[in-house]
Amino acid sequence: MKKLHLEMTVNGKPVDVLAEPRALLIHVLREDLGLTGPHIGCETSHCGACTIDLNGKSVKSCTMFAAQANGATITTIEGIAGPDGMHVLQSSFREHHGLQCGYCTPGMITRAYRLLQENPNPTEEEVRFGMAGNLCRCTGYQNIVKAILHAANEMQSKEAAE
Amino acid sequence: MIPAAFEYHRPQGLPEALHLLTEHGDGARALAGGHSLIPVMKLRMSAISHLVDLQDIADLRGITVGSTIRIGAMTTQAELINHAGLATAAPILREAALQIADPQVRNLGTVGGNVANGDPANDMPGLMQCLDATFTLAGPKGSREVRARDFYESAYVTARAEDELLVAISFAAPAGGYAYEKQKRKIGDYATAAAAVQLQASGGRVTQASIAMTNLSDTPVYSAAAGAALVRTACDQSAIKAAVAAMLGDINPVADNRGPVDFKRHVAGIILGRAITRAFSRT
């Protein structure tokens, strides 16, 4: 099958890639663009380890063809940290032990990043509901929720200070 | 899990999409949000040689709210949830959509895909029975309308022909109280049983009731008898019991990993009882 020429903006940079129509977005990100942050967990759109930000929305990149993302703007976990180091969410996950094995963490943080844009001051229940598409088999979620709530607080007070 | 090879098309308008479907016949499939189709393609359970991605077709988008509500087929569950006008005019849609899958899936999954796929486990088909919605289908010979209540023939078999596309869903703005109640094993799961209820009351008595059930038969089930059992009652325990008994006569669940038949019938009764109670409390 003839490959398609796809153009996207990934983590702020324009990229070109040739991909078969059947190539899943997660495979193109990982194998062609070398972005191995988004993980392949279940590959059936349940676990959320492959979560990326696509045109300002969280999506599961295992259940999408790369061709569907032609022209899209994408942020992966690699694009979350700023020039000054870790994103507040990343340091908050570290501080609150929001991970154990770490496999789900890129998806968790990429999803939480968008959740806090949509709802900067969520309740615990809203965090749990908003994170329902991301599974973690280690932590029992307590510390993930704590980390996100703490990050929300920090981001709010940072904004207030500015 | 890599699907078999296919050719990808991204038509810019409805005529072009319909032309592609006609041209490629059996081997062509329309792609909406992909959250039912892509998993099936990964398992190679479906032979597709031409995939027609509908995302750029403006005619399939948009929500219009008036005395009639019209929802474009490519409206995502997330767009449906976040539409303020719709949340006021037909709050049952938002209540149901929030119980579908998870945030990431709702960002891609569309209401059109949900109703057109004909999966009896999907929530929107049952809801559309309750709302007595009409589906607009476009095909090579023009467009036609089919009532949701006449659309579903059996699991994955619908009134839509292979060369037709679902364009929009429309229904009269519902009045009165509403509830979409769903029992599922965990977030993201399909319903063990779900009930959609719209009812109107006057002077403490039910004047009109519409009841439909999800995932309890090989099609969504509209239970006219269950609705009729509530009319002219005060929606008390005995009326609810009669409605549940009537509904149980209309469903036909099969045993699967969500439980044996008796359990599903039990859950269906509980869920409908809760839905009726909540809908009545909102009248």
Side-chain angles (χ1 to χ4, degrees):
Chain A
M1 206 56 67
K2 209 177 137 226
K3 286 193 174 180
L4 303 168
H5 175 226
L6 308 177
E7 294 179 335
M8 314 168 192
T9 303
V10 180
N11 297 329
K13 292 187 201 103
V15 300
D16 276 272
V17 61
L18 282 175
E20 273 192 78
R22 63 173 169 172
L24 297 165
L25 181 56
I26 185 70
H27 291 143
V28 168
L29 290 172
R30 290 177 56 86
E31 288 160 28
D32 296 291
L33 302 178
L35 296 167
T36 54
H39 287 163
I40 300 172
C42 69
E43 228 185 330
T44 56
S45 76
H46 288 99
C47 80
C50 65
T51 298
I52 59 156
D53 208 65
L54 178 108
N55 297 330
K57 285 181 279 189
S58 303
V59 302
K60 294 182 176 177
S61 60
C62 79
T63 306
M64 190 171 179
F65 294 112
Q68 290 175 272
N70 192 18
T73 299
I74 291 172
T75 305
T76 66
I77 186 69
E78 287 90 344
I80 301 275
D84 319 327
M86 284 200 287
H87 187 273
V88 177
L89 270 163
Q90 292 171 312
S91 41
S92 189
F93 265 64
R94 183 170 72 177
E95 204 179 307
H96 290 85
H97 304 284
L99 60 142
Q100 287 177 27
C101 86
Y103 199 84
C104 71
T105 314
M108 286 283 175
I109 289 180
T110 310
R111 170 58 197 147
Y113 167 80
R114 180 52 52 190
L115 175 66
L116 295 186
Q117 316 261 320
E118 291 163 350
N119 182 358
N121 191 18
T123 63
E124 179 182 335
E125 201 189 334
E126 286 166 346
V127 168
R128 288 184 184 272
F129 192 74
M131 296 299 295
N134 295 73
L135 302 182
C136 171
R137 300 284 87 149
C138 305
T139 61
Y141 302 99
Q142 289 297 117
N143 290 347
I144 291 174
V145 173
K146 249 189 237 169
I148 295 169
L149 286 169
H150 176 81
N153 250 329
E154 287 238 318
M155 287 160 77
Q156 291 277 85
S157 36
K158 224 188 215 174
E159 213 168 85
E162 272 165 16
Chain B
M1 294 216 296
I2 296 169
F6 57 84
E7 239 177 87
Y8 174 83
H9 307 269
R10 205 199 270 198
Q12 298 300 303
L14 197 53
E16 189 189 346
L18 291 170
H19 177 77
L20 285 163
L21 291 178
T22 307
E23 187 186 346
H24 300 296
D26 278 0
R29 275 295 291 272
L31 174 71
H35 276 58
S36 299
L37 183 58
I38 295 174
V40 166
M41 292 174 75
K42 285 182 181 180
L43 295 168
R44 303 205 180 195
M45 282 161 62
S46 193
I48 293 166
S49 49
H50 292 269
L51 193 63
V52 181
D53 184 348
L54 306 177
Q55 70 169 303
D56 286 347
I57 304 175
D59 287 348
L60 301 178
R61 297 200 172 263
I63 298 175
T64 334
V65 177
S67 57
T68 298
I69 292 169
R70 185 185 186 278
I71 301 171
M74 283 295 283
T75 302
T76 64
Q77 305 290 357
E79 286 164 351
L80 200 149
I81 289 165
N82 294 324
H83 193 282
L86 194 62
T88 312
I92 193 170
L93 280 168
R94 185 172 193 272
E95 183 160 291
L98 280 167
Q99 297 179 67
I100 294 172
D102 60 53
Q104 287 96 315
V105 174
R106 291 193 291 268
N107 278 334
L108 288 176
T110 63
V111 64
N114 197 286
V115 303
N117 195 34
D119 182 347
N122 282 352
D123 293 285
M124 288 292 163
L127 181 54
M128 297 309 162
Q129 309 296 303
C130 172
L131 293 170
D132 196 11
T134 300
F135 299 158
T136 304
L137 303 170
K141 292 183 207 107
S143 72
R144 65 185 179 114
E145 304 207 314
V146 181
R147 278 178 80 189
R149 290 177 189 170
D150 299 327
F151 187 73
Y152 298 95
E153 291 165 13
S154 62
Y156 303 103
V157 181
T158 67
R160 186 183 64 84
E162 279 188 2
D163 57 1
E164 287 182 309
L165 283 172
L166 174 70
V167 174
I169 297 161
S170 39
F171 50 89
Y178 67 91
Y180 193 81
E181 182 80 23
K182 177 175 175 179
Q183 167 67 45
K184 49 191 176 179
R185 297 173 301 181
K186 61 171 189 66
I187 282 224
D189 194 17
Y190 293 110
T192 303
V197 176
Q198 277 284 159
L199 51 85
Q200 292 177 61
S202 166
R205 302 238 155 215
V206 176
T207 55
Q208 237 183 348
S210 180
I211 291 175
M213 307 297 292
T214 291
N215 214 10
L216 293 160
S217 213
D218 67 346
T219 60
V221 174
Y222 169 64
S223 180
L230 292 179
V231 174
R232 284 186 295 278
T233 72
C235 217
D236 50 21
Q237 281 311 309
S238 68
I240 292 173
K241 214 172 150 190
V244 166
M247 174 278 290
L248 289 173
D250 286 338
I251 62 170
N252 187 21
V254 292
D256 59 17
N257 55 5
R258 290 184 184 81
V261 170
D262 286 349
F263 172 72
K264 290 190 173 184
R265 294 177 66 83
H266 172 74
V267 175
I270 302 285
I271 289 301
L272 179 56
R274 285 183 195 164
I276 293 170
T277 305
R278 192 158 79 241
F280 189 67
S281 75
R282 287 166 166 170
T283 56

